[in-house]
Amino acid sequence: MANHKSAEKRIRQTATRTEVNRARVSRIRTFLKKVETAISSGNKTAAGEAFKEAQPELMRGVSKGVLHANTVSRKLSRLSSRIKALA
């Protein structure tokens, strides 16, 4: 257990940040799942719309430090190519 005031404060800050970051990641996963379901249903327009909604969420995750920029770029690239491949 923490013995210093600064260590106690750091524990509180970490708990708060963890809660916020978990919410962010959960929100991002929800948007990704919407894109995945649209792709699996074969609806190109719905998939495109879901992709357009997911893109800013993923980039926001990068700017907030929750996800790495290369990870998001890779995910977006792969999703985009899968949407383009739909008939």
Side-chain angles (χ1 to χ4, degrees):
M1 198 63 216
N3 292 322
H4 297 278
K5 271 190 186 274
S6 60
E8 290 171 352
K9 181 178 179 180
R10 182 52 76 183
I11 289 170
R12 289 194 305 270
Q13 287 176 331
T14 302
T16 306
R17 284 208 185 101
T18 301
E19 201 174 316
V20 169
N21 289 341
R22 276 194 186 143
R24 281 195 183 112
V25 171
S26 174
R27 184 175 165 84
I28 289 167
R29 280 201 202 110
T30 303
F31 277 90
L32 286 175
K33 191 175 278 190
K34 287 179 186 174
V35 177
E36 290 288 343
T37 53
I39 290 171
S40 64
S41 71
N43 190 345
K44 190 170 187 172
T45 55
E49 288 298 317
F51 181 74
K52 283 181 185 172
E53 288 178 11
Q55 219 168 352
E57 279 301 318
L58 284 159
M59 295 316 293
R60 195 169 296 124
V62 171
S63 67
K64 298 296 182 181
V66 175
L67 296 171
H68 196 275
N70 291 351
T71 304
V72 171
S73 293
R74 185 180 65 243
K75 283 183 183 293
L76 290 174
S77 174
R78 288 179 181 173
L79 286 172
S80 176
S81 63
R82 284 173 62 196
I83 292 170
K84 286 179 186 174
L86 291 174

